[in-house]
Amino acid sequence: MYRSFEVSNFRCFRRLGLANIERVNLIAGMNNIGKTALLEALFLHSGTYNPELTLRLNAFRGIELVKLEFGRLAETPWDSLFRHFDTSQVVELAGENEHTGHRVIRLRVIREPEDLAKIGQSIQYSSDRPEGIISLSSEMAQVLELECVEGDQRRKYYVIVGQKGVRHEPIPPAPPFPAFFLAARVLIPSAEDAERYGKLEILGQQDALLRALQVIEPRLRRLAVIVASGVPLIHGDIGLGRLVPLPVMGEGMARLASFVLAIGNAPNGVVLVDEIENGLHHSILPKVWRAIGEVAKQFNTQVFATTHSLECIVAAHKAFSEGESYDFRLYRLERVNETLRAVTYDQEALEAAIETGLEVR
Amino acid sequence: MAIEIEQPNLLVEGREEELFFEALIKYLGLQNIQIMPFGGKKNLRPFLKALVMSPGFSEVISLGVVRDANRDPHGAFQSVHDALHAASLPVPNCPLTPFGERPRVAVLILPGSDRGGALEDLCLDAVAQDPSMRCVERYFKCLQKEGLSLPDNISKAKVQVFLASRHKAGLRLGEAAQAGYWPWEAEAFGNVKDFLQRIFS
């Protein structure tokens, strides 16, 4: 569970810090202020040793294809990760996690021939792959270095994009905890949700989804995965004499199911949701937050979400105020004198702002 | 619709105070002052905490805080003092005198002059010489003479009876200010006018 997080030279941020992070965290702010970028930074940090995640961020933003050019001055797939597209800087992501301690991730684009040669050599000596010796030059490949600093340990991992594709050196180990990114533009395939439901079922934890969905649809009695035309799909029994596919019950049900399944599949980990209010009617938002809060607690999962919606913020505040504990935090990103900062609302400040109609988005 | 912060800011307890100060500020010819009710004395501390976090607050150059003394003018000032401190705002040492920069902060405790009471007492001071006030006083003496109990908040009751004597009866204190029933030129309003001009001129 993250307690604090700091990002430097990433996307639009020169430097931005989050303190007093809670189990469920909502990030608000105007358009183009960095809400999604902050989720991306958390996603990269959660991935820990895996520089390849940087390439997935483009896909989350709806950019599926990356034009590849080679040469010292060519654009790289990572340029947009660096503030002002300045790849001579180093991106730094630092997080304090109560389980894994303090960890710093640094991203650096390697362009200089001598640096590339050194990396080629170090990979040659450390790699146990049959292809062995690697010759790197900016005319053949683009290279991103990920340095992970944990305590007094420093480890470096590289993602190399060449004409033959993408390769990692060395192969990164699994991250210390699971993390899922639910992008605003990318719908989670029903089959993926069904697979995650199956994983919960294996562990006998499938009732977590049933209970969460019953908050919105009290008629729901049971859930089952049905394979139709080779595609698994979650169905529900709402007393109609037959099972009904979850997406047919409504977008709100399908969205909540995706949230809950991601949370349930990330025990002790992190779930990041961009524009969480999408597809959800304001009247069910308090119920959705209550369900998210309960499942996040059950699986000890930390949730970070973004929103543009005041109704969403008010609903979250109401749901957590009425719950057993207020393990919720609102951060509002704002620009002051060309610098971005995160304003942290605790329960008292948020209550006063909502009661008196002060702007919190 | 959420409130957006403009500048400068005057914070008052409730809706009546908002209407009252809106009318007085208009009378004084002061421009572009945003008046915000903080929802009662108990809410000032969380309100200030939320206000300083609001978008645009960093642009606010002056901030006035007005609250009633009730029974304890020193306690009331101390409570505003503590709320300003908790919100990391400049904290004046005494009422009326502005302190600090960006924002410059001043506090007004009503009715003023180190005595207990509220905005109603200030308004009653301002109309003390109005002929109808003799009738107002006689009305409450009559109630006593008849052995009837008097209202808890006698000043509020007197304001209501006084306003019942106006051409358009039934207005509340703030609405009466908007209707021009409080004599702004009265000496009783001197400190309040001086406070507004010092912080917002």
Side-chain angles (χ1 to χ4, degrees), chain A residues 139-332:
Chain A
E139 305 305 318
M140 299 165 55
Q142 292 182 332
V143 178
L144 181 81
E145 177 188 272
L146 182 149
E147 182 184 28
C148 176
V149 183
E150 291 170 297
D152 54 3
Q153 270 202 326
R154 283 169 187 269
R155 285 178 281 186
K156 289 183 178 178
Y157 301 89
Y158 299 92
V159 58
I160 301 160
V161 180
Q163 282 162 340
K164 288 182 182 171
V166 179
R167 79 182 265 184
H168 303 88
E169 291 295 343
I171 299 292
F177 52 78
F180 292 107
F181 193 112
L182 279 59
R185 290 164 187 250
V186 184
L187 199 66
I188 295 176
S190 301
E192 202 170 314
D193 274 345
E195 188 181 332
R196 286 177 186 168
Y197 182 73
K199 285 179 181 168
L200 287 186
E201 202 161 18
I202 288 168
L203 300 171
Q205 294 171 324
Q206 72 277 13
D207 283 353
L209 180 62
L210 181 67
R211 280 196 303 273
L213 295 180
Q214 280 171 335
V215 171
I216 295 181
E217 178 49 272
R219 293 177 300 168
L220 188 65
R221 296 173 190 163
R222 71 182 178 94
L223 295 166
V225 174
I226 308 293
V227 180
S229 307
V231 180
L233 190 60
I234 302 173
H235 285 59
D237 177 1
I238 52 171
L240 299 181
R242 58 156 293 162
L243 295 177
V244 181
L246 206 55
V248 174
M249 289 187 209
E251 197 180 347
M253 289 284 276
R255 287 273 290 169
L256 180 57
S258 295
F259 301 155
V260 170
L261 290 168
I263 292 168
N265 278 266
N268 306 312
V270 172
V271 170
L272 307 144
V273 187
D274 200 13
E275 297 183 14
I276 193 164
E277 75 276 16
N278 283 359
L280 298 170
H281 189 263
H282 71 89
S283 60
I284 63 163
L285 285 170
K287 291 176 179 175
V288 168
W289 279 117
R290 204 167 301 130
I292 288 173
E294 282 170 14
V295 181
K297 199 169 198 169
Q298 181 185 345
F299 290 92
N300 194 31
T301 307
Q302 196 167 25
V303 177
F304 294 86
T306 69
T307 187
H308 292 115
S309 156
L310 178 61
E311 284 159 336
C312 184
I313 296 168
V314 172
H317 172 68
K318 187 170 182 278
F320 286 95
S321 294
E322 291 169 356
E324 275 177 26
S325 57
Y326 193 84
D327 40 8
F328 170 72
R329 191 74 76 219
L330 173 71
Y331 297 93
R332 184 175 56 74

Side-chain angles (χ1 to χ4, degrees), chain A residues 57-125:
Chain A
L57 297 185
N58 284 335
F60 293 155
R61 293 215 179 216
I63 305 166
E64 297 292 349
L65 293 172
V66 177
K67 186 181 166 194
L68 269 185
E69 291 174 339
F70 298 107
R72 266 185 71 197
L73 302 175
E75 265 192 45
T76 75
W78 308 288
D79 285 13
S80 66
L81 300 184
F82 290 77
R83 187 167 178 264
H84 295 160
F85 290 71
D86 181 1
T87 52
S88 67
Q89 300 293 311
V90 176
V91 166
E92 186 170 296
L93 313 171
E96 186 74 40
N97 187 298
E98 66 185 21
H99 298 303
T100 55
H102 187 73
R103 188 191 315 127
V104 180
I105 303 290
R106 295 195 185 98
L107 301 175
R108 198 178 282 120
V109 171
I110 308 295
R111 287 180 185 276
E112 297 302 322
E114 54 271 32
D115 294 335
L116 289 167
K118 272 186 209 167
I119 291 163
Q121 274 185 333
S122 70
I123 290 170
Q124 177 190 337
Y125 291 121

Side-chain angles (χ1 to χ4, degrees), chain B residues 152-172:
Chain B
D152 278 351
N153 189 334
I154 194 74
S155 298
K156 194 172 250 182
K158 282 184 180 176
V159 164
Q160 283 175 348
V161 177
F162 169 76
L163 291 175
S165 74
R166 301 297 95 178
H167 176 70
K168 190 178 177 184
L171 297 183
R172 295 170 65 89

Side-chain angles (χ1 to χ4, degrees), chain A residues 310 332 334 336-337 341 343-346 348-350 352-353 355-361, chain B residues 1-5 36-38 43 45-47 49-56 58-59:
Chain A
L310 178 61
R332 184 175 56 74
E334 72 169 7
V336 178
N337 300 329
R341 65 169 189 167
V343 180
T344 311
Y345 288 79
D346 62 12
E348 185 187 41
L350 186 53
E355 282 295 309
T356 52
L358 288 170
E359 183 60 88
V360 290
R361 287 166 297 179
Chain B
M1 181 82 176
I3 299 169
E4 293 195 8
I5 305 298
M36 287 193 285
F38 52 82
N43 206 33
R45 187 186 165 103
F47 179 83
K49 201 169 149 183
L51 180 70
V52 298
M53 294 176 177
S54 299
S58 56
E59 300 299 313

